[in-house]
Amino acid sequence: MNTKNIYLDQVGFLPKGSKRAVLNFPAKEFAVTDAAGQEVYRGAVTHFGTDDISGVDAYVAEFDELQAPGTYRVQAGGVTSASFTVSDGAYDGLFRDLCKCFYFLRCGAGLSEEYAGPYAHGACHDTLAVPFADPEAPGIDVSGGWHDAGDYGRYSTAGAVAVAHILYAVRFFGNLKDLTFHIPAVPCDHGTLPDILAECKYELDFLLKMHREDGAVWHKVSTRYHAAFVMPEEDKGQLYLYDPSSMAAADVAAVFALAYTVYKDYDAAYAERLLAAARKSHAWLQAHPEPVLFKNPPDSGTGEYGEWEDISNRYWAACALYEATREMTYLSEAEGYTAFLEQPMPDRRWVPSLTGMGWAPVSGLGSMSLLLTGEENDLISRVRETFLKAAADSVETATRNGFGLCMKPTDFFWGSNMELGKHLMILTVANLLEPSEEYRTAIQRGLDYLLGCNALDISFVTGNGERAFHNPHLRPTAADDVEEPWPGLVSGGPNAGRQDVTGKELPPNLPPMCCYLDKVESYSFNEITIYWNSPFVFVLAGIYEAMKQ
Ligand code: G3I
Ligand code: 9MR
Ligand code: ZN
């Protein structure tokens, strides 16, 4: 940490975007050089000082004026940065890679060499699953969907949230539907589905299998314990379906209602099936007004995805169903949950509010459905104000450190990069409500952090950036014989909680941003999940759209 470093976004910048590098040593001036080593820009360095997230005594180099397309490096004090590009398509490869990861995480059919190259593998987890609570009952086919993460579990709430991030991006921003990332074509009413919708359909089809005839939704399907580090097709343990939860019923109802609004233009029959299933789960929720929470049963140990409340989930379902059908009962139901969501509760573990966004709090997704209605009412104006207020808070937080990063010390827990994704999604929505350069700059700084402008000098996206992390806690990557993981995987990121044994390898009292190891064993720092990739699909779709204007 004592070496002289120049931290910056190792992928690059859009020509009209704000551009910054951070030096951890004093310098008066910096230069930007092109691929031929020629100086193309020179500017003054300003001293920011030390902050409480990184511990870096930051010196800032800004070069917004550099707009000519090219590949560059920043130089100062005899130090040369990683390279980066300036171009209208600076994030094209990243955008495709982030989306293609969902294909690489597909469970069930196996990945062919045509689409997966060296990461091809055989069919997996396609045996029948039995209820954990009643293992003698007939087996059920729940094959398909995406592996959740570094493990091979498939969890209904996590899957619904990841699909939703992507489908909200499709609803808000046109560009995502034009993105191609080489996956098998899926026919629809008028030709083939856009790649992004074909990929989301793979998970939605699985969620339809997790959705029961009575409207209940199995909380998860997995083996009893996590598999060893083997390829997916070698993980042959019995698959169990774990008890339904109200969070699963609500999240799945919500994502089906949202998906209905997208797929109705492509595959009318499929869309109707989704909406009917959404209504059925909603009816099941109405018949179960008390929370049906989930805890791992004794003698089992895969991902729990436990939540302490289900109101944010019920709110999301009601809002999404309202947006899909415009039936007033759903809107009044949603309004009914807001007293709980909006109450001040400083000591809450997961604070939902109207902007809640994570794998557990999902009220922010419901609020996005309300914004998509284009209607005006009291609830929608409160939603708008809450998003703008949260975005303003992020802008303010970003002034407190040299990285211009909208993260507080308390944001660096397990999956901190999703916390970053949450802030950037809120800023992206705020920029739709009231376009502002302040919001766009905060989004850019957040992307910069993810892509290398951080105290670790690491890009948290595999294959994107000269110094990208490359040892994700991801079973296929650890078990295959390919040197590099596939590109586009987002690491969980720094975690001051250090919940796995490798945390002890780091010195105590590190600033939160430095609590990270690029080690395969480090699941609390360096795992990947579908819902850590999906927020950045939303954010990139948004930044491209915003910078076009
Ligand atoms: O939200 C609170 C925050 O308010 C508080 O300040 C902070 C400090 O303690 O904690 C925050 O809660 C954290 C929570 O994640 C937030 O999402 C918990 O500490 C943290 O332990 C919890 O970690 C979760 C982890 O499972 C352990 O339960 C991760 O979010 C979650 O992504 C992860 O999920 C696993 C699956 O179970 C299995 N598959 C892989 C996946 C990723 O590692
Ligand atoms: O690989 C598992 C990862 O997906 C989970 O997030 C993590 C926490 O539940 O657990 C990992 O599995 C470890 C297990 O919990 C304990 N034995 C070692 C496993 C691999 O590191
Ligand atoms: Zn599988």
Side-chain angles (χ1 to χ4, degrees):
M1 221 46 64
N2 293 328
T3 50
K4 283 165 77 178
N5 269 312
I6 300 175
Y7 310 119
L8 50 64
D9 185 326
Q10 300 166 17
V11 173
F13 304 90
L14 300 172
K16 294 201 178 70
S18 164
K19 305 173 194 76
R20 174 184 294 197
V22 175
L23 287 51
N24 67 351
F25 57 89
K28 288 212 156 40
E29 277 192 327
F30 71 98
V32 181
T33 52
D34 65 14
Q38 294 298 309
E39 182 176 314
V40 294
Y41 187 86
R42 178 167 284 269
V45 170
T46 55
H47 186 199
F48 178 87
T50 309
D51 60 65
D52 56 0
I53 54 172
S54 70
V56 172
D57 186 14
Y59 291 79
V60 175
E62 298 203 291
F63 45 101
D64 295 7
E65 294 88 349
L66 178 74
Q67 297 195 2
T71 303
Y72 306 101
R73 292 177 193 273
V74 169
Q75 300 196 332
V79 179
T80 302
S81 75
S83 76
F84 62 92
T85 66
V86 172
S87 137
D88 281 324
Y91 300 126
D92 286 0
L94 171 68
F95 205 9
R96 272 195 292 271
D97 289 350
L98 286 171
C99 292
K100 178 82 182 246
C101 281
F102 297 94
Y103 169 77
F104 284 120
L105 288 168
R106 282 188 188 192
C107 183
L111 306 183
S112 72
E113 257 181 56
E114 181 183 356
Y115 298 104
Y119 307 107
H121 66 74
C124 59
H125 306 109
D126 51 1
T127 53
L128 298 183
V130 293
F132 192 88
D134 183 10
E136 301 308 317
I140 300 170
D141 168 27
V142 286
S143 57
W146 301 318
H147 297 135
D148 180 59
D151 65 312
Y152 292 133
R154 286 167 291 147
Y155 310 93
S156 299
T157 52
V161 166
V163 174
H165 290 156
I166 299 172
L167 293 184
Y168 281 112
V170 168
R171 288 293 306 278
F172 281 119
F173 314 109
N175 51 26
L176 194 45
K177 283 192 296 211
D178 298 327
L179 196 73
T180 56
F181 44 96
H182 194 52
I183 59 165
V186 174
C188 67
D189 293 348
H190 322 281
T192 55
L193 286 174
D195 280 358
I196 197 69
L197 299 188
E199 196 50 55
C200 287
K201 186 171 185 293
Y202 196 80
E203 178 72 5
L204 288 164
D205 287 349
F206 157 71
L207 291 173
L208 279 166
K209 295 181 184 174
M210 295 294 277
H211 176 269
R212 297 193 329 196
E213 201 38 49
D214 62 355
V217 177
W218 300 105
H219 190 74
K220 62 169 175 174
V221 58
S222 73
T223 48
R224 188 182 285 268
Y225 292 103
H226 288 307
F229 272 64
V230 296
M231 290 301 284
E233 63 271 36
E234 285 155 26
D235 177 26
K236 293 188 188 300
Q238 172 66 49
L239 293 175
Y240 292 102
L241 286 159
Y242 291 76
D243 279 355
S245 68
S246 48
M247 294 85 70
D251 289 7
V252 163
V255 79
F256 284 176
L258 169 66
Y260 161 81
T261 68
V262 174
Y263 287 85
K264 69 180 170 32
D265 299 332
Y266 296 91
D267 187 336
Y270 185 65
E272 289 301 335
R273 207 178 135 207
L274 289 165
L275 184 58
R279 286 187 190 276
K280 212 171 217 181
S281 286
H282 182 262
W284 183 90
L285 288 164
Q286 297 292 93
H288 295 80
E290 295 301 318
V292 184
L293 302 182
F294 182 82
K295 265 199 95 52
N296 270 341
D299 297 324
S300 68
T302 55
E304 183 166 79
Y305 290 111
E307 301 184 33
W308 68 274
E309 56 82 25
D310 70 355
I311 300 295
S312 85
N313 318 72
R314 287 176 191 259
Y315 170 81
W316 180 24
C319 293
L321 274 157
Y322 175 64
E323 202 259 326
T325 66
R326 304 302 161 113
E327 290 169 21
M328 293 309 287
T329 56
Y330 294 124
L331 183 61
S332 29
E333 186 193 337
E335 176 67 60
Y337 298 131
T338 59
F340 172 85
L341 295 172
E342 290 177 298
Q343 68 187 302
M345 230 189 172
D347 59 349
R348 219 176 237 179
R349 191 149 183 250
W350 286 305
V351 187
S353 87
L354 293 180
T355 56
M357 258 185 254
W359 57 259
V362 287
S363 38
L365 302 178
S367 294
M368 289 207 265
S369 284
L370 293 182
L371 293 174
L372 281 167
T373 64
E375 294 174 3
E376 290 297 333
N377 60 41
D378 179 57
L379 174 54
I380 291 176
S381 51
R382 266 147 52 216
V383 160
R384 192 176 292 124
E385 274 165 33
T386 316
F387 271 82
L388 292 172
K389 165 82 173 53
D393 286 351
S394 283
V395 168
E396 197 277 323
T397 303
T399 62
R400 297 187 210 161
N401 61 77
F403 295 88
L405 180 65
C406 59
M407 297 276 278
K408 299 186 173 122
T410 47
D411 286 340
F412 291 88
F413 46 78
W414 190 329
S416 62
N417 281 336
M418 185 184 206
E419 214 47 25
L420 171 68
K422 171 185 93 177
H423 295 312
L424 302 191
M425 283 178 72
I426 291 172
L427 282 158
T428 300
V429 172
N431 189 62
L432 280 171
L433 298 172
E434 282 181 10
S436 142
E437 197 170 334
E438 280 192 321
Y439 298 155
R440 293 191 292 276
T441 300
I443 295 166
Q444 181 65 55
R445 293 288 90 85
L447 285 175
D448 293 350
Y449 165 82
L450 185 78
L451 299 169
C453 194
N454 54 57
L456 300 151
D457 201 20
I458 278 180
S459 163
F460 292 117
V461 186
T462 53
N464 284 265
E466 217 170 273
R467 300 167 196 162
F469 90 103
H470 58 116
N471 300 305
H473 181 86
L474 172 58
R475 281 171 173 69
T477 299
D480 69 16
D481 45 20
V482 190
E483 178 64 22
E484 284 296 312
W486 62 78
L489 294 158
V490 175
S491 168
N495 169 18
R498 311 173 179 212
Q499 278 105 329
D500 65 70
V501 292
T502 67
K504 297 197 178 66
E505 295 173 24
L506 290 168
N509 306 321
L510 277 180
M513 198 193 284
C514 301
C515 295
Y516 171 82
L517 285 167
D518 180 15
K519 286 197 161 188
V520 67
E521 317 88 274
S522 302
Y523 54 78
S524 84
F525 297 141
N526 215 28
E527 191 163 1
I528 63 91
T529 79
I530 51 177
Y531 54 85
W532 293 339
N533 262 59
S534 54
F536 295 100
V537 174
F538 185 97
V539 171
L540 277 193
I543 198 80
Y544 265 143
E545 190 90 356
M547 298 306 281
K548 238 176 34 190
Q549 293 150 12

